[in-house]
Each structure stands twice: as structure tokens, then as C-alpha cells.
Amino acid sequence: MLRSLARARRVLFIGGKGGVGKTTVATATALAAAREGRRVLLVSTDPAHNLGHLWGCEIGARVRRLAPNLDGLELDPEQTARAHLEEVGAALRKLMPEHLGAEVDRHMALSRETPGMHEAAMLERIAELVEQGDRDHDLLVFDTAPSGHTARLMALPEMMSAWVDGMLHRQSRSRHFGEVLRGLGRDDDVGRQAIGAVEGGRARGAGDPADARDDRIRSLLNRRRHRFEHLREVLADRERTAFVIVLTAERLPVLETLELHAQLQRAGIHVGGLVVNKRSPLDAGEFLAHRAALEAGHLEELARSLPGVPLLELPLLPGEPVGRDALEAFSARLAG
């Protein structure tokens, strides 16, 4: 199931409750696709940095080659948000009249602690990677943060597009963007992060008459709107994108999986399959046999609730799949 999804899709999101083995499953899927000749980018959005721990090397915000045809990238929410705000501030200072520079700095300082800042900055980076993916890689595999964070992130493109549309409408009625900037505090906290960096040096409007500056701001907002719209289209296209939920066969992970599945459906995102990781063996003594029977009951409940979603079971292993050789062995367990 995982290999089939990796062959047929351009974007895969691997998510689920914390501690169920999302990073291992994402890595195994990426490795299997890379072995078949696809150019794969494996991206972790989890601040725990488990991807680097799994590979036994440092993986940061710059793309690093992990294996033939496989590149890796770790997005740290704090670092991503900081870089995002620096770009936003630089862009606004170029676009604003000089006397509004202090106002820009004040809003950027306030934005650092606003709810949704990390999600908004991460969404911007994910949107960039999806745009670039068509040029540089055949498949993007996102190893996501735990369920609640991921569900909010998946719902953001719609919110951000609507916010930018509102900004464009307001900007069209305002000769000077300073009025829009002063009104940011009344907009929702996630939306105020929608403006990004100016591409290619100094903005055309800097030092020019107000109408030229307003044209540049409108162009900037339109570019952001198109980026969010493109991401929303990709996420909603089941021919290009699938979400895989990883879980263990226990009551709480099953219940959280059902909730995550419902949230993703509401966001218009197709769930391509379920992966039950660390499945207890039936033939390894009375204790584990009892565990396996208990797990089977939970999985029956899951199958009744989500009858049309493919399900893959992966066994509990005696050791941890750490390092390339162990990850290759784990990847070989994936069904075709």
C-alpha cells in the first residue's frame, strides 16, 4: 500500500499520534521510492528532530543527501518562524514610507508570540517546497508533527487564502498601506503572517510615489495568494497527494486516528491508508499473544469505523531501526 501510494503520488504526508513511529515509516517509504528510481525529498516538520536521530547525522534546514535519490530536510518551527518574520519585516520596511519603520518593527515584535505564528511560517515553507518539488524532486514525503498540530496545519491554506483576499480588498480601498498595517491588530493572529519576502532585491515602490508603492504591495499579496491557492489545490487533489496515518493498535491511538481522519476529511484531504506499527506477534509467548489479541480488537473497531481505508500492519521489532542499514531492512517490509 505504501509503495503503491509512493509510486502514484507526488506528495505524501505521514502523520499520527506522537511516538507511534511516523518518522520510521516516512523514512522507509522514502527509501523504497528512491530505490525504485524516484527523486525523493524527505521533509520533517516535527520539532523533535527525530529524522536526524534516526539517520545518525545532523539534518538541518538545508537539503542533505541521505542515500542515492534521497534528500532530507528538517524544518524547525522556531527557526522557520524567526526567518519568516525577518523576511516579512525587511519586505515591509522596503515598501513602507520611512517614517513607518518603527511601526513595522513594533508589529513584527508583537507577531513573534502570536498564536499560530509557527504554523503560518511552516505553511509558507511547505508551500515553497511543494512549488519547488515539481522541478527538483519526483516525490515529497512529509514527516509531520503529532496529530493536533498537523490537523491545524492542513486547515490553514483555506484560512490564509481568505485572509490575503481580505487584505487585497482593503488595500484596494486604501491609498496608503500604512492604514492597513495599523489595522493588522484587528485581523486574526494567523492571518497577519501571510505577507512574505520580496523577491529580487529592493522593492520598486521604495522611495517612489504612493501609488507605485501600493502597486508593489498588491503584487506581493497576489503572489502570496497564488502560493496558498496552489498548495490548497495540491492538498485537495487525491491524484497528487495522500495522507497516511500511522498508529499503534491501542485504544487512544485508534480514537485519535478516527478524529484525525475526520479533521482531514473536513479539510478536503484524502487519507490514502493506515499503517499499524509495532504489531505484537502471536507466536512469542503468552504475554505477547494476549497483547496481540487485545490489539486485534482495537483494529476491528478501526476497520468498522473506516471500512474503505487501506490498512498495513508492521510488526514489533526486537531492536530500533536506527542507521541506514536498519532503515533499509525496515523499508523492505513495506508491501508492494
Side-chain angles (χ1 to χ4, degrees):
M1 177 259 288
L2 280 174
R3 286 184 177 178
S4 298
L5 287 173
R7 292 185 191 115
R9 303 299 194 278
R10 299 190 67 86
V11 182
L12 287 181
F13 286 91
I14 312 293
K17 184 177 173 63
V20 296
K22 297 186 299 295
T23 303
T24 303
V25 172
T27 298
T29 304
L31 267 172
R35 280 203 308 268
E36 293 181 358
R38 302 200 76 187
R39 299 171 303 155
V40 184
L41 178 63
L42 175 60
V43 183
S44 173
T45 66
D46 193 334
H49 302 306
N50 289 329
L51 189 60
H53 298 156
L54 203 60
W55 283 89
C57 65
E58 184 176 345
I59 303 173
R62 295 175 180 268
V63 173
R64 172 170 181 160
R65 177 54 55 96
L66 299 176
N69 291 325
L70 177 59
D71 296 325
L73 184 66
E74 281 186 336
L75 301 181
D76 180 85
E78 186 69 36
Q79 180 182 349
T80 302
R82 184 168 56 250
H84 178 75
L85 282 175
E86 289 174 355
E87 291 176 349
V88 170
L92 288 178
R93 278 189 292 273
K94 290 177 180 179
L95 293 169
M96 292 294 96
E98 188 174 346
H99 70 276
L100 287 178
E103 185 77 1
V104 171
D105 292 339
R106 185 177 73 86
H107 277 285
M108 291 301 99
L110 291 173
S111 295
R112 294 183 189 278
E113 304 302 326
T114 55
M117 177 64 244
H118 288 173
E119 286 95 337
M122 193 68 76
L123 179 71
E124 179 87 10
R125 189 71 180 99
I126 289 173
E128 291 174 0
L129 290 171
V130 170
E131 281 186 334
Q132 296 167 3
D134 291 339
R135 299 191 298 269
D136 304 330
H137 296 90
D138 304 313
L139 174 67
L140 300 181
V141 179
F142 287 94
D143 166 34
T144 68
S147 303
H149 176 91
T150 298
R152 292 193 299 273
L153 187 66
M154 294 296 103
L156 272 177
E158 189 80 25
M159 296 169 57
M160 298 290 273
S161 292
W163 186 87
V164 173
D165 284 342
M167 287 290 289
L168 281 165
H169 178 67
R170 178 183 296 182
Q171 198 272 344
S172 69
R173 296 180 302 165
S174 171
R175 176 173 173 79
H176 300 294
F177 194 60
E179 295 177 24
V180 178
L181 182 64
R182 286 191 292 273
L184 277 174
R186 296 190 294 273
D187 288 318
D188 88 25
D189 291 328
V190 174
R192 74 177 69 193
Q193 314 309 332
I195 304 173
V198 173
E199 297 175 5
R202 186 171 180 82
R204 179 173 61 87
D208 290 345
D211 56 347
R213 183 169 58 246
D214 288 353
D215 286 344
R216 188 68 184 95
I217 293 167
R218 187 180 296 109
S219 174
L220 178 65
L221 288 171
N222 271 313
R223 188 163 59 248
R224 284 300 171 269
R225 181 179 63 179
H226 294 325
R227 174 168 286 169
F228 296 136
E229 286 177 348
H230 178 257
L231 178 60
R232 183 173 57 186
E233 290 171 4
V234 171
L235 290 177
D237 185 353
R238 60 189 301 157
E239 299 299 321
R240 285 188 287 178
T241 303
F243 199 104
V244 175
I245 304 177
V246 184
L247 68 149
T248 53
E250 299 171 290
R251 182 174 180 273
L252 290 181
V254 167
L255 292 176
E256 191 164 325
T257 294
L258 295 176
E259 177 61 25
L260 178 58
H261 182 272
Q263 291 172 333
L264 292 170
Q265 282 203 316
R266 288 195 293 270
I269 297 172
H270 172 60
V271 176
L274 310 172
V275 175
V276 181
N277 197 22
K278 306 177 184 179
R279 189 73 163 87
S280 297
L282 284 166
D283 57 352
E286 184 179 351
F287 175 78
L288 286 179
H290 179 74
R291 282 286 309 176
L294 183 67
E295 292 169 1
H298 292 310
L299 294 185
E300 287 175 7
E301 177 187 349
L302 183 66
R304 284 194 300 269
S305 300
L306 303 176
V309 183
L311 186 146
L312 170 67
E313 297 183 33
L314 296 173
L316 177 68
L317 300 176
E320 298 181 355
V322 176
R324 180 171 171 179
D325 290 343
L327 291 169
E328 291 275 8
F330 187 88
S331 178
R333 295 176 178 272
L334 302 184

